């Protein structure tokens, strides 16, 4: 399936080259073990896999009996994902979460190595859509590049914003600090931000990811905002 996103999808063609071979993308076993453990401890019958690529992790989640909707910007990736034998998976080509996906419809949103491929404004728009489609008290799991990563040759790339680079074919990569990531995801509760590091076998340099496991409490209610304002005002009054 294909949907028109909020912006032109020319960047999708930049990613097509990653999926030209016959082989499917490999599983990063340490990351999959973390995701599998997380899903095993949370209600996770319906999963949205944003930035699913050619469906590597969507298939693994589907094999566990979960209904998975995979979304990716690359047409070639979605074509390859569609060749997988996974009755529980559907795949959509889009550069965002389509507006016609029903609200409050997913137990979990997964974003593996995709948030760091978006600009700050694109991530902000994505978070709004995630809040729309996640069920209240639903869950969120993501992995993103850390500033400590040395496996990507970012010094050879063009820096378009602090810690944001574009490579030679037009793919964007942002490298997060932990505080920046925590601040961006402050709308989530019970956030746990872990680190996943190893020596990348392809280049022999350090690979470094942040891994986020969190719960979405649901939309903020007006009375909660009023309560926070009252508490804040009271705190100001009792300061010496």
């Amino acid at each position: 399936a294909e949907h028109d996103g909020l912006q032109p999808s020319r960047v999708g063609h930049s990613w097509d080259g990653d999926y030209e071979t016959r082989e499917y993308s490999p599983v990063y076993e340490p990351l999959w073990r973390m995701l599998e453990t997380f899903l095993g401890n949370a209600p996770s019958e319906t999963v949205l896999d944003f930035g699913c690529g050619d469906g590597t992790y969507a298939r693994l989640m589907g094999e566990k009996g979960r209904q998975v909707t995979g979304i990716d910007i690359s047409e070639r990736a979605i074509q390859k994902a569609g060749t997988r034998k996974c009755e529980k998976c559907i795949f959509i080509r889009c550069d965002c979460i389509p507006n016609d996906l029903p609200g409050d419809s997913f137990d979990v949103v997964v974003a593996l190595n995709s948030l760091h491929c978006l600009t700050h404004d694109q991530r902000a728009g994505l978070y709004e859509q995630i809040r729309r489609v996640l069920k209240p008290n639903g869950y969120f799991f993501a992995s993103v590049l850390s500033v400590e990563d040395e496996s990507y040759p970012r010094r050879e790339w063009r820096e378009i914003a602090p810690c944001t680079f574009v490579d030679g074919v037009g793919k964007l990569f942002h490298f997060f600090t932990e505080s920046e990531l925590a601040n961006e995801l402050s709308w989530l509760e019970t956030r746990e931000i872990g680190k996943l590091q190893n020596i990348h076998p392809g280049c022999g340099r350090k690979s470094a990811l942040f891994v986020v496991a969190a719960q979405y409490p649901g939309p903020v209610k007006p009375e909660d905002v009023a309560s926070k304002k009252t508490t804040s005002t009271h705190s100001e009054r009792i300061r010496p």
Side-chain angles (χ1 to χ4, degrees), residues 37-227:
T37 299
F38 177 77
L39 294 174
N41 293 326
S44 55
E45 291 183 8
T46 55
V47 180
L48 175 64
D49 184 3
F50 181 81
C52 66
D54 58 11
T56 293
Y57 297 95
R59 180 186 63 83
L60 291 171
M61 291 186 282
E63 287 179 347
K64 299 289 185 179
R66 300 178 176 93
Q67 184 66 51
V68 183
T69 300
I71 297 173
D72 201 274
I73 193 173
S74 167
E75 183 175 0
R76 177 60 184 144
I78 292 299
Q79 288 172 349
K80 281 187 72 174
T83 66
R84 290 184 179 273
K85 295 179 180 179
C86 182
E87 295 181 358
K88 290 281 190 176
C89 300
I90 62 171
F91 296 101
I92 300 169
R93 195 203 69 79
C94 192
D95 59 358
C96 61
I97 296 176
N99 291 325
D100 56 4
L101 286 183
D104 300 341
S105 56
F106 291 96
D107 296 312
V108 183
V109 170
V110 172
L112 301 180
N113 300 341
S114 55
L115 297 180
H116 58 236
C117 299
L118 303 174
T119 66
H120 181 274
D121 288 347
Q122 288 170 336
R123 293 195 302 271
L126 176 64
Y127 299 148
E128 287 186 12
Q129 288 290 353
I130 290 174
R131 289 193 289 268
R132 182 182 69 80
V133 299
L134 254 186
K135 296 176 182 178
N137 299 312
Y139 292 85
F140 178 78
F141 186 96
S143 59
V144 302
L145 283 170
S146 162
V147 290
E148 297 180 9
D149 181 87
E150 299 171 358
S151 65
Y152 286 85
R154 51 182 149 154
R155 292 174 182 82
E156 301 172 13
W157 298 343
R158 181 166 56 94
E159 188 169 12
I160 62 171
C163 295
T164 302
F165 300 82
V166 175
D167 74 1
V169 297
K171 294 184 290 188
L172 181 144
F173 296 89
H174 180 73
F175 296 79
F176 284 86
T177 65
E178 186 170 352
S179 60
E180 174 191 19
L181 185 60
N183 183 59
E184 277 201 13
L185 300 177
S186 60
W187 49 277
L188 293 161
E189 285 187 351
T190 60
R191 293 186 312 281
E192 294 181 11
I193 300 179
K195 293 182 179 180
L196 188 55
Q197 299 183 354
N198 71 357
I199 299 301
H200 194 289
C203 63
R205 297 188 295 269
K206 181 172 74 172
S207 167
L209 296 173
F210 287 120
V211 180
V212 180
Q215 186 172 24
Y216 174 52
V220 177
K221 299 176 182 178
E223 55 266 32
D224 293 337
V225 175
S227 174

